[in-house]
């Protein structure tokens, strides 16, 4: 305890107060620490500097001047230490909010092509290797390309309004990609070797294997001397490329107005027990050649139309076509 009235110990205590206060401000790491130090040393009510000021009254008059001068110096030093501490913690808060360019970045979540788009790309790739170019046609079609030129007579059940999406007079949403066969042959002379991939529309009841909108890949090859053997070879090679060496395919006699003879193409693989229909195919009917101005005495050709959803589903083990259209990312992420 300093004896009241003695200058030297009072000055020493002022020095000590300054030392401690400056250290407290210098070590304050946050705005709260700085505030706590301010209250302890510079607080108006019970701050240590305030107590040191009170001390002045207890000193003899001749000591007051020296004490007062030292006191003012300590006060200035403490205020400077407070200012320095404040601006230091503020700078740090700004730096905490700033971007640290040395940290690893946040990788953006990349999407990928839809499984059906991937299938379409792969089909274009495989048939491309067999020499087939890609052709396109409109989804809103006229009745001539969807039916007439394909040798489908006016009374044929395939034209039933209950089985098609008719639009205005003479137009409809195409029900098959075979329309593109006609468009290609109308626009170029033989030889032809094309595939066409696109959406087709039918008011079918939706279930695990049927949708009212789905995709087909159409193939057409026309030249002198094209045979059914070529058709079978191309489809067999395609099935092996897309589904694997162990796939088996079979051809079942069938009927389409635009091919003669016509077949359904089924596939079976991975030791499966059930044959699944891929699509229809056959040798282009002479009446179709006549409708587009080709000479059926000179050229022959084959055509096929396969369902892309079913190919994609078989390839990936998808058991419900609706999954392909629900756009649930948890499902799509798997492909
Ligand atoms: C046709 O569409 C003929 N144009 C195929 C063809 C082309 C034959 C060239 C001869 C020459 P089909 O209606 O069978 O044929 O349909 C072909 C394939 O489309 C079917 O095997 C099936 O895989 C798919 N498909 C048919 N309807 C649906 C549907 N509602 N939902 C999903 N896929 C379907």
């Amino acid at each position: 305890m300093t004896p009241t009235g003695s200058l030297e110990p009072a000055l020493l205590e002022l020095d000590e107060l300054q030392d401690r206060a400056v250290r407290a401000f210098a070590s304050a790491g946050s705005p709260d620490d700085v505030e706590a130090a301010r209250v302890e040393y510079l607080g108006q009510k019970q701050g240590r500097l305030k107590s040191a000021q009170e001390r002045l009254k207890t000193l003899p008059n001749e000591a007051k001047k020296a004490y007062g001068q030292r006191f003012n110096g300590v006060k200035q030093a403490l205020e400077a230490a407070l200012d320095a501490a404040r601006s230091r913690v503020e700078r740090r808060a700004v730096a905490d909010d700033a971007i640290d360019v040395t940290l690893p970045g946040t990788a953006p979540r990349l999407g990928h092509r839809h499984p059906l788009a991937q299938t379409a790309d792969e089909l274009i790739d495989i048939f491309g290797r067999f020499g087939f170019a890609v052709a396109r046609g409109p989804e809103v079609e006229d009745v001539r390309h969807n039916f007439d030129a394909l040798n489908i007579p006016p009374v044929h059940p395939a034209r039933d309004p209950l089985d098609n999406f008719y639009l205005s007079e003479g137009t409809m949403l195409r029900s098959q990609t075979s329309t593109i066969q006609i468009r290609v042959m109308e626009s170029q002379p033989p030889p032809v070797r094309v595939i066409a991939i696109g959406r087709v529309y039918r008011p079918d009841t939706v279930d695990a294997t049927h949708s009212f909108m789905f995709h087909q890949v159409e193939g057409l090859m026309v030249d002198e001397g094209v045979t059914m053997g070529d058709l079978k070879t191309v489809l067999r090679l395609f099935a092996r490329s897309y589904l694997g060496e162990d796939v088996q395919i079979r051809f079942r006699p069938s009927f389409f107005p635009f091919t003669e003879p016509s077949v359904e193409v089924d596939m079976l693989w991975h030791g499966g027990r059930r044959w699944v229909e891929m699509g229809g195919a056959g040798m282009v009917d002479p009446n179709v050649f006549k409708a587009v101005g080709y000479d059926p005495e000179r050229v022959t050709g084959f055509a096929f139309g396969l369902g892309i959803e079913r190919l994609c589903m078989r390839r990936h083990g998808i058991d419900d076509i609706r999954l392909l259209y629900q756009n649930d990312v948890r499902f799509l992420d798997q492909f």
Side-chain angles (χ1 to χ4, degrees), residues 33 50 52 71 99 107 139 148 154-155 168 179 181 192 196 199 208-209 218 241 243 254 291 307 314 334:
D33 291 350
K50 188 79 184 165
F71 174 85
I99 294 169
E139 288 176 29
D148 299 338
V155 290
S168 55
T179 53
Q181 292 181 32
V192 173
R199 277 186 282 266
T209 51
E218 191 81 12
S241 303
L243 297 166
S254 185
R314 285 284 134 186
Q334 302 170 67

Side-chain angles (χ1 to χ4, degrees), residues 176 178 181 202 204 209-211 214 216 218 256 258-259 264 277-282 303-307 310 321:
Q176 50 185 349
S178 300
Q181 292 181 32
R202 294 179 194 177
D204 287 349
T209 51
H210 291 83
S211 172
F214 57 100
Q216 289 185 333
E218 191 81 12
F256 293 99
F258 36 95
T259 46
E264 300 280 357
E277 183 191 307
M278 269 201 296
F304 58 84
L306 316 177
R310 296 210 188 150
I321 196 171

